[in-house]
């Protein structure tokens, strides 16, 4: 018996302590431009994140909390290890670790960078270092050399080149106080990227850029034999290809940046080539994606699709921008357009884990076909499945691993070989697990009949995380849920034990670290837990409710399915309050309590109740809880008669829309008492400001427009005028939810003019969204109109582009 227990304990200890190899392998780029491990010759294929604990707003955010920066590093790196990620990129804020002459300054920021690199090494995670970034984002007072130059001067002023070269030599020669190695010699430092996102004065020739690259690369080469990359974004791949470097780095943000709100409609069709889209000049160079994200998308289907696209381009290393520190992620107060953290966005975190599996499984250079524009719902490349249906999810299903980023019923997806499974990771229920929590779980096999389980806490949404507001965006809740496993080696009645051997209740399992066994062993010694770093989470006793109602125009009786999140300790009745504009008596609609997506903390609701024609302000209510909360604007819903014009743009509300071009002025106006919008470029158009665009979400999805009249008779109606003699037209473009743009030029005069533009006369704007070779030109679909763009620029005003330009427009509708 003692021998059996000793063997049992040895198995568990080995699983707890020996699951990861330190990041201690050297990599070099071969003559064909492939980054390879030196010990085996195998190709490097790493997915990871950008992480900035030692610098910028992350450093200061932890400082304001009074938190221990080194403890925060260990917590976040443990989460990255838990997700199976293999690399971090750090673009170092040189202003914080240099002086005006380019000398490296040894201070707390550099000490924390040492610690971050060392902790990543211990957890099997490699580091890509970008020593120069120039940006002064939320830094406060600094003394570095970048304070004295614009970015354009850094790249073209040869005195600044010498300063940067000095800094790079000293940076690569710095001895990490934790590992005892120079950065330039430390195996856990995978590569160096000379500078982050360089900018150049207009007209800078490639030859000058190549000279600049060589100056930086040669300085690094004096201190390190490691691969050296250059950030060739903004079309500088050819200049980089002529330089003495090993690789180029590129970027991919297919959904844009700073939309100011969560993008809730399907975005899979927007996955597109990165700035490293293959060209012959960089064929001999290694390729890395230094930053990528599906910005402002909370759903969990984009990362694996982007990973597949990167592999098609020959990319071997990719780092999502940027991982939110666990202590700060609840507010998402740093980079508002990005939000990723294992605790606070578990589905997205699991989708990044799946993207890492894509990098491991999909050979470099495998072709990528974008999802069909007509559906854009599924992307299937076994062992991976991606869908935008429902809230969207991604799946990795191999004989040994099943990873899913969102709840799925056991009937939705068959396990390939349950007997061989080694890992089951996910959010919510799966074919192998029945679980109702909204946090992530990780189930890892130790040996036959014995598994390790880690359960992370529930996360409750409080607010759209992409607005940039200082308010909390999400809340962790230590709820306990039933956890049932359907795996052959565990039998029909497995037991769940805490690491100290005490039994846990599978009917109410709180967050924590557990062992699942086919039968209770005679004795189980205490075990060192796998790192998971759960924060202390107080119970939440108050009711919470969260849901969204996109601003809509609809007709009576139109159903619309929504998901509402509830934390309902008092078992109150959830409902929606519709307050008619100009009338005192509200209309209430109880929310039908039906579990949605396998999570008991959510429910679905199909509305509308019988609402008379008019405009309503709506709020969700649960006991004393309200969403939007008191003081915040309510949701707005307008019920129209089917024969009334459907508004696409309301100037009174569009004045505060977040999207726009720098240099374009937007003002409110009136036309005979009706609100209007005025757009002006007082300085005129130039090479620096070629065009100006305002993009708006349409007020309503037009899912019922087809009920009105046949498509050929639908028209866009608007009223507009020029405010300067040189402004003779603007472009009107509608964009569908599949990304397809259709537009036309609208002529302008100094007098107000009514325009009726038949929808079928809009032409497809292939210069905005190219069609695949051989694809037929589509026609506009009124049921899919998603956004409206108003655009004007130099090409519209030949000979007069430099003069001031402005126009004014009233409401835009479809009828």
């Amino acid at each position: 018996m003692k021998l059996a227990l000793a063997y049992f304990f040895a198995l568990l200890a080995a699983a707890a302590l020996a699951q990861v190899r330190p990041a201690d392998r050297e990599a070099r780029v071969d003559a064909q431009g492939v980054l390879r491990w030196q010990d085996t010759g195998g190709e490097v294929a790493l997915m990871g994140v950008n992480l900035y604990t030692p610098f910028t707003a992350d450093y200061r955010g932890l400082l304001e909390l009074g938190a221990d920066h080194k403890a925060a590093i260990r917590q976040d790196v443990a989460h990255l290890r838990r997700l199976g990620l293999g690399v971090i990129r750090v673009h170092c804020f040189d202003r914080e670790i240099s002086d005006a002459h380019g000398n490296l300054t040894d201070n707390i920021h550099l000490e924390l960078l040492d610690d971050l690199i060392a902790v990543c090494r211990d957890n099997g995670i490699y580091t890509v270092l970008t020593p120069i970034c120039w940006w002064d984002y939320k830094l406060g007072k600094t003394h570095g050399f970048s304070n004295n130059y614009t970015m354009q001067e850094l790249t073209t002023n040869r005195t600044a080149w010498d300063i940067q070269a000095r800094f790079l030599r000293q940076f690569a020669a710095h001895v990490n106080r934790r590992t005892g190695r120079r950065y330039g010699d430390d195996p856990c430092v995978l590569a160096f990227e000379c500078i982050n996102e360089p900018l150049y004065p207009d007209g800078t020739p490639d030859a000058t850029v190549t000279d600049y690259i060589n100056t930086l690369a040669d300085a690094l080469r004096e201190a390190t034999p490691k691969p050296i990359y250059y950030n060739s974004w903004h079309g500088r791949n050819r200049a980089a290809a002529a330089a003495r470097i090993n690789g180029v780095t590129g970027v991919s943000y297919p959904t844009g940046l700073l939309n100011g709100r969560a993008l809730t409609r399907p975005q899979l069709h927007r996955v597109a080539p990165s700035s490293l889209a293959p060209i012959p000049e960089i064929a001999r160079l290694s390729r890395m994606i230094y930053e990528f994200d599906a910005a402002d998308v909370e759903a969990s289907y984009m990362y694996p699709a982007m990973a597949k696209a990167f592999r098609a381009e020959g990319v071997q290393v990719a780092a999502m921008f940027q991982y939110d520190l666990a202590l700060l992620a609840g507010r998402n107060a740093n980079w508002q357009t990005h939000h990723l953290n294992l605790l606070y966005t578990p589905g997205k975190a699991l989708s990044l884990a799946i993207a890492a599996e894509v990098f491991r499984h999909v050979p470099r250079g495998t072709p990528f076909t974008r999802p069909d524009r007509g559906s854009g719902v599924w992307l299937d490349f076994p062992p991976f499945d991606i869908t935008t249906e429902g809230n969207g999810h991604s799946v990795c299903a191999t004989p040994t691993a099943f990873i899913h980023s969102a709840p799925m019923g056991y009937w939705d997806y068959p396990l390939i070989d349950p007997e061989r499974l080694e890992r089951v990771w996910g959010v919510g229920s799966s074919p192998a697990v029945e679980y109702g929590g909204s946090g992530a779980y990780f189930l890892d096999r130790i040996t036959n009949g014995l598994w390790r389980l880690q359960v992370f806490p529930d996360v409750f949404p409080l607010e759209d995380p992409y607005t940039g507001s200082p308010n909390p965006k999400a809340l962790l809740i230590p709820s306990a849920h039933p956890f049932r496993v359907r795996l052959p080696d565990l039998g029909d009645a497995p037991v769940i034990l805490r690491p100290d051997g005490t039994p846990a209740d599978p009917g109410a399992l709180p967050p924590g670290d557990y062992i699942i066994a086919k039968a209770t062993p005679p004795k189980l010694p205490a075990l060192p837990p796998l790192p998971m770093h759960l924060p202390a989470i107080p119970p939440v006793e108050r009711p919470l409710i969260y849901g969204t109602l996109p601003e809509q125009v609809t007709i009576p009786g139109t159903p619309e399915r929504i998901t509402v999140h509830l934390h309902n300790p008092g078992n109150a009745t959830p409902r929606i309050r519709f307050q008619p504009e100009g009338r005192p008596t509200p209309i209430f609609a109880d929310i039908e309590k039906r579990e949605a997506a396998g999570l008991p903390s959510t429910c679905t609701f199909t509305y509308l109740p019988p609402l008379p024609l008019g405009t309503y302000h709506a709020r969700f209510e649960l006991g004393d809880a309200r969403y939007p909360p008191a003081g915040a604007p309510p949701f707005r819903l307008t019920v129209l008669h089917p024969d009334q014009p459907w508004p696409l743009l309301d100037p009174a509300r569009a004045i505060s829309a977040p999207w726009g071009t720098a240099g374009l002025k937007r003002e409110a106006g009136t036309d005979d008492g009706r609100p209007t919008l005025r757009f002006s470029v007082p300085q005129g158009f130039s090479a620096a400001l070629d065009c100006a665009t305002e993009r708006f979400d349409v007020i309503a999805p037009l899912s019922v427009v087809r009920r009105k009249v046949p498509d050929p008779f639908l028209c866009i109606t608007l009223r507009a005028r020029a405010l300067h003699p040189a402004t003779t037209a603007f472009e009107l473009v509608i964009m569908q939810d599949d990304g397809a743009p259709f537009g036309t030029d609208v002529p302008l005069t100094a007098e107000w003019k009514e325009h009726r533009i038949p929808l079928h006369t809009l032409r497809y704007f292939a210069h905005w969204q190219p069609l695949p070779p051989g694809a037929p030109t589509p026609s506009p679909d009124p049921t899919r109109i998603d956004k409206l763009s108003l655009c004007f620029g130099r090409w519209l005003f030949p000979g007069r582009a430099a003069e001031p330009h402005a126009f004014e427009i009233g409401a835009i509708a479809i009828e």
Side-chain angles (χ1 to χ4, degrees), residues 209-485:
V209 176
T210 299
D211 286 347
Y212 172 67
I213 299 171
N214 285 333
T215 299
L216 303 188
D218 290 349
L220 280 169
R221 194 81 66 201
E222 291 180 32
T224 181
K226 291 185 178 296
I228 296 173
Y229 291 76
Y230 187 75
N231 189 306
S232 60
W233 79 322
H234 269 241
R236 294 297 180 165
N237 285 325
R238 289 178 175 84
R244 294 185 289 271
I245 56 174
N246 305 107
V248 287
T249 67
V251 63
S252 180
Y253 288 125
T255 58
L257 294 169
L258 292 170
N259 291 283
R261 60 172 182 88
L263 301 177
T264 57
R265 297 183 186 176
Q267 305 292 321
L268 192 58
H269 63 276
R270 299 177 72 175
V271 175
S274 76
S275 66
L276 295 179
I279 61 171
E281 287 83 353
I282 61 172
R284 69 171 182 85
L285 296 177
S286 175
R287 274 150 275 182
M288 179 187 302
I289 295 294
Y290 71 94
E291 290 180 12
F292 75 89
D293 194 16
D296 303 305
V297 176
E298 198 72 354
S300 61
Y301 54 81
M302 291 290 283
Y303 293 153
M306 296 178 72
K308 178 69 155 51
F310 297 155
R311 294 300 277 162
E313 295 178 358
V315 170
Q316 294 182 258
V317 178
M320 177 271 170
F321 189 89
Q322 131 281 346
Y323 191 79
D324 289 281
L325 309 187
L327 293 174
L328 304 176
R331 289 185 178 271
N332 195 29
N334 189 351
W335 306 90
Q336 75 174 70
T337 198
H338 310 287
H339 195 214
L340 178 71
N341 177 271
L342 174 56
L343 292 170
Y344 287 91
T345 65
K348 287 181 69 175
L350 265 295
S351 76
L352 191 66
I354 294 170
E357 297 295 329
V358 172
F359 260 54
R360 296 183 185 106
H361 283 81
V362 175
R364 178 175 50 86
T366 301
F368 173 74
T369 302
R370 294 175 66 181
D372 176 71
R373 174 175 277 113
S375 62
V377 170
W378 290 95
L379 183 61
D380 181 8
F381 53 105
F384 304 97
D385 276 325
I386 303 165
T387 181
T388 65
E389 285 191 335
N391 293 325
H393 66 257
S394 43
V395 176
C396 169
T398 73
T400 59
F402 190 87
I403 309 173
H404 62 107
S405 67
M408 54 194 312
Y410 65 87
W411 56 87
D412 287 337
Y413 208 104
L415 298 176
I416 294 175
D417 190 347
E419 298 282 355
R420 293 175 58 195
L421 273 178
E422 302 289 337
R423 291 182 291 156
V424 181
W425 299 356
V427 176
S429 294
S430 79
V433 169
E434 184 179 338
Y435 177 59
S438 58
Y441 71 86
F442 297 84
L443 186 59
D444 298 276
R445 186 201 291 262
I446 299 170
T447 188
N448 190 51
L450 195 66
W451 292 69
R452 196 65 177 269
L453 170 66
Q454 291 183 316
V455 179
F456 284 78
D458 285 358
V459 57
F460 192 92
L462 299 174
E463 188 177 287
D464 186 326
Y466 303 109
T467 61
S469 83
N471 303 328
K473 307 301 190 303
L475 181 67
L476 299 180
I477 300 178
S479 301
H481 302 280
F483 195 98
R484 297 181 176 87
V485 184

Side-chain angles (χ1 to χ4, degrees), residues 9-20 81 446 452 454 513 527-531:
F9 175 70
L11 284 173
L12 290 172
L17 298 176
Q19 286 193 347
V20 64
R81 170 183 164 182
I446 299 170
R452 196 65 177 269
Q454 291 183 316
D513 196 4
L527 299 174
L530 282 168

